[in-house]
Amino acid sequence: MNNKLYGNLIFELSKTGRKGYSLPKNPYPYHTSDLPRELRREVDAQLPECDEPTVVRHYTNLSHNNFGVNDGFYPLGSCTMKYNPVINEEVAAMEAFAKAHPMQPIDTCQPLLKIYGELQHLLSEITGLAEFTLNPCAGAHGELTGLMVICAYHQHHGDTRRRKVLIPDSAHGTNPASAAVCGLEVVEVKSLSDGTVDVDDLRSLIATHGEEVAAMMMTNPNTLGIFERNIPEIAQMVHGCGGLMYYDGANLNPMLGECRPGDMGFDVMHINLHKTFSTPHGGGGPGSGPVGVRQGLEPFLPTPRVVWDEKEDRYGIDVDGKGTSLGSIGAFFGNFGVILKAYTYILSLGKENLKMVGPLATLNANYIKESLKDVYLLPIEGLCKHEFVFDGLRNKETGVTTMDVAKRLLDDGYHAPTIYFPLLFHESLMIEPTECESKETIDGFIDVMRKIADEAAEHPEQVKTAPHTTPIGRVDDVLAAKHPIVTYQQLVEDQATTE
Ligand SMILES: *Cc1c(COP(=O)(O)O)cnc(C)c1O
C-alpha cells in the first residue's frame, strides 16, 4: 500500500547535507579540471539529498502505484504484454553480458557476436527472409529503417520517382509516421468493413500512382486481428508496378509456427522483439525492432553488421558495408539486453514449443471473444487471430462507456484492454490475452467482464465512478499528454528568484 510519508516527489523529501551514498575516491589520473572549461558546470547540479532508506521507500511506494504484467493479467491489444520469463532476466544479468562494451576488441566478445549471428539466423528461419539487422531500437525505428532500405534499393536502380507508400487506413499510426519521417508521401488504401484491404481500391490507386510507388506497408493479421487472405494477389499487384512489399511484423505472435511473411511475397519486414518474444516493454522502452530483407536487398542494410568471417573462422563486424549500405541508424548494434532476452525466450521454448505460440494465442483470444459476445458488442463475427475488438457494451442504454469498463477492471486487479483504438468503432475495446495465461486467469477475466456488464445495467454509477481501490483515480490524460510537468516546480521557482 502507498505510504504517504514517502511523498510524491523525491525532491520534497530532500534535506540539505543528507547523504545515502558517497562516491569512492577517483582512481583515475583525470579530474574535472582536465575538462575544457565550456564543458564544466558553473553551479552544482540541484539534486535531492536523501538517506538510503528514504530513497528505497520512496521508489518502492511509487512502484505500488503502477500496474505491470507481474501484477496481473494485462490484455492490452496490439501491444502484446506477454509475461517476461525470469530466465530472460537471469541471462541478461550475467556479468559477461551486462558488462560488455560495444567497443571491446572482437576476439574478447565472440560469444556475444555469436548470439547476434544466431538470432539473425533464427529470425530468418522464423520469417522466411534472407538477412536480418538487429540494430533498430523499436518497432517504429524498424519501419523507418526498412523504408530507408527500400528507398536505397530504388535509388540504386535509378528509380528516383518512387516516393509514395501505400498504407491501409486501418494501419498502426507509426506506419504513416515512419513514411513521413522518411520523406515519403502516404497514399491511403481503403479497408473493407472487417478491416482487411479493399483490393479494388488498391487496384485503382496502383493504376494512378503505380510508377511512383516505392512500397506497400501491410499488417497481417490486421489491427482487428483478422487474417488478410488476399496477400498473394496484393503482392502481385504491388510487384507488378515495381514497388516492394513491407510487412509490419510488430504482432508476429499469431503467425509463429503457422506461416512466414517471406513465403507470402514480402520483401522487407520488422519484428518487435519486445512484443513477440516476451521482453518487457512499456513506458517508452527499451525495445528492439529487427529488420529482415529478402535475398538481393541485404547490401542496403544498415551498418555495423555482425557477420561470419570465413577467413578468420570467427564472427566479425562489418563496419562500412558494401558501399550501398544505409550506414548507421543509431548507436552501435541496437539494444543488446532486449536481443539477449528474445534469444533466451526462443531457445528456452525450442522449435516445437515455439510452434505452439501462435495457435495458443489464437485459441485464448477466440475463447474470450466467444465467452463475452452475448454481453459485449462484437462488430465482426468469425474467427480472429491473437486479438479482437468489441465495440463497448451490448446494452447502450446504461450510459456506461468503454472508458468506465476499463477503469472498473482495475478494481478487480486486471489491466484494461486497449481502448478507443482502432478508430473504426466508437467504443473499441481491443483484447489480446497472449499465449502465456492459464485457463484460470482467463476465466477470472471473463467473470469480471461479465460482472461489470451486470453492474452497468443494475448500478451504473458504480462503474462510472471507478476505480474505487487504486491510489489514483481518473487522471486527465489529455492534460498529462499536452502539458506534462517534468521539472520540480519549486526548483524552477527557487532558481528564478536567485537569478
Ligand atoms: C506496436 C506496434 C508498432 C510500433 O512499435 P514500437 O516498438 O512501439 O515503435 C507498429 N506496428 C504495430 C502493428 C504495432 O502493434
Side-chain angles (χ1 to χ4, degrees):
M1 275 305 97
N2 200 28
N3 188 336
K4 293 273 178 291
L5 287 176
Y6 294 98
N8 293 321
L9 294 176
I10 188 86
F11 283 97
E12 292 166 359
L13 305 173
S14 180
K15 289 276 171 281
T16 307
R18 188 71 53 84
K19 274 190 183 156
Y21 181 75
S22 24
L23 289 170
K25 207 166 166 287
N26 177 10
Y28 304 106
Y30 313 108
H31 300 278
T32 7
S33 54
D34 298 326
L35 284 170
R37 179 162 290 281
E38 69 274 17
L39 296 180
R40 278 185 249 154
R41 278 189 173 282
E42 279 163 15
V43 288
D44 284 346
Q46 308 268 309
L47 298 173
E49 297 171 77
C50 297
D51 53 275
E52 183 174 319
T54 299
V55 172
V56 169
R57 287 172 190 158
H58 171 71
Y59 286 106
T60 304
N61 276 291
L62 276 188
S63 78
H64 294 166
N65 289 346
N66 207 355
F67 188 107
V69 79
N70 287 0
D71 294 294
F73 187 46
Y74 204 135
L76 199 65
S78 189
C79 298
T80 317
M81 301 305 285
K82 199 178 269 202
Y83 172 69
N84 171 50
V86 174
I87 188 171
N88 288 359
E89 294 302 319
E90 250 176 67
V91 172
M94 286 176 179
E95 196 158 313
F97 296 135
K99 293 201 173 159
H101 192 280
M103 287 174 84
Q104 74 190 57
I106 57 170
D107 46 332
T108 65
C109 56
Q110 282 295 309
L112 278 89
L113 297 181
K114 187 172 176 199
I115 288 168
Y116 273 97
E118 284 189 0
L119 185 60
Q120 286 172 186
H121 180 71
L122 286 166
L123 295 180
S124 284
E125 266 196 36
I126 289 169
T127 59
L129 287 164
E131 292 280 348
F132 265 85
T133 171
L134 307 182
N135 297 12
C137 291
H141 196 198
E143 290 170 26
L144 176 63
T145 305
L147 289 171
M148 287 166 77
V149 166
I150 290 170
C151 290
Y153 165 85
H154 289 311
Q155 199 90 37
H156 184 72
H157 290 91
D159 231 350
T160 48
R161 283 183 61 201
R162 297 195 178 272
R163 306 298 294 171
K164 291 186 176 170
V165 189
L166 299 160
I167 303 179
D169 57 11
S170 66
H172 195 272
T174 50
N175 289 191
S178 301
V181 171
C182 197
L184 299 168
E185 193 187 319
V186 175
V187 178
E188 201 172 272
V189 185
K190 287 203 189 78
S191 301
L192 300 172
S193 58
D194 64 354
T196 59
V197 170
D198 181 340
V199 177
D200 292 330
D201 187 47
L202 178 64
R203 188 173 298 109
S204 74
L205 289 172
I206 287 183
T208 319
H209 304 282
E211 289 181 1
E212 294 165 280
V213 168
M216 162 121 188
M217 292 181 93
M218 279 192 76
T219 309
N220 192 24
N222 65 27
T223 32
L224 294 173
I226 310 287
F227 190 86
E228 297 273 359
R229 292 175 191 282
N230 297 316
I231 301 269
E233 191 186 352
I234 293 170
Q236 202 176 19
M237 280 161 59
V238 172
H239 287 148
C241 79
L244 298 184
M245 287 289 286
Y246 185 93
Y247 184 92
D248 178 336
N251 298 302
L252 195 68
N253 216 34
M255 314 301 253
L256 281 183
E258 291 291 290
C259 52
R260 309 194 305 169
D263 301 336
M264 293 179 212
F266 286 95
D267 305 289
V268 181
M269 76 175 293
H270 81 270
I271 304 176
N272 280 20
L273 296 186
H274 51 289
K275 291 180 182 168
T276 305
F277 298 109
S278 83
T279 75
H281 59 115
S288 178
V291 168
V293 295
R294 70 158 162 75
Q295 203 75 50
L297 289 169
E298 70 281 5
F300 306 103
L301 285 173
T303 53
R305 276 185 63 62
V306 174
V307 289
W308 176 252
D309 187 338
E310 285 290 346
K311 226 168 47 218
E312 300 282 339
D313 197 29
R314 65 171 187 189
Y315 283 97
I317 296 166
D318 181 359
V319 180
D320 303 320
K322 300 185 172 74
T324 44
S325 162
L326 296 179
S328 170
I329 51 140
F332 303 108
F333 317 90
N335 282 327
F336 181 66
V338 181
I339 289 165
L340 184 59
K341 288 174 196 178
Y343 177 75
T344 306
Y345 177 77
I346 293 173
L347 290 199
S348 57
L349 281 185
K351 193 168 178 173
E352 287 314 308
N353 290 320
L354 205 61
K355 282 183 174 172
M356 296 291 293
V357 168
L360 277 178
T362 300
L363 176 67
N364 288 349
N366 280 284
Y367 177 58
I368 297 176
K369 169 168 68 65
E370 293 304 313
S371 306
L372 290 172
K373 69 178 188 183
D374 60 324
V375 280
Y376 290 87
L377 187 62
L378 181 66
I380 298 168
E381 281 282 352
L383 201 67
C384 65
K385 292 308 238 178
H386 61 306
E387 65 193 2
F388 66 94
V389 181
F390 281 135
D391 190 5
L393 281 157
R394 208 169 243 284
N395 180 356
K396 301 285 183 210
E397 323 267 82
T398 65
V400 170
T401 64
T402 278
M403 176 65 88
D404 302 329
V405 174
K407 293 294 180 191
R408 187 65 173 135
L409 275 168
L410 283 169
D411 286 330
D412 281 290
Y414 294 89
H415 195 279
T418 293
I419 57 171
Y420 299 108
F421 178 84
L423 305 173
L424 295 155
F425 312 111
H426 292 298
E427 291 289 327
S428 287
L429 260 168
M430 189 189 203
I431 299 175
E432 177 180 9
T434 83
E435 76 285 2
C436 34
E437 301 298 336
S438 67
K439 177 152 184 303
E440 291 72 26
T441 300
I442 293 178
D443 282 337
F445 174 71
I446 291 168
D447 288 348
V448 167
M449 288 289 279
R450 297 192 74 87
K451 187 194 82 181
I452 294 172
D454 289 345
E455 259 180 3
E458 286 155 26
H459 317 283
E461 278 312 305
Q462 185 74 3
V463 188
K464 286 188 201 172
T465 51
H468 304 286
T469 59
T470 57
I472 294 162
R474 298 206 181 194
V475 291
D476 184 339
D477 328 79
V478 177
L479 190 69
K482 300 249 166 175
H483 300 286
I485 299 169
V486 290
T487 317
Y488 179 46
Q489 286 301 294
Q490 194 60 47
L491 194 68
V492 175
E493 282 160 30
D494 290 351
Q495 270 169 353
T497 49
T498 51
E499 267 161 24

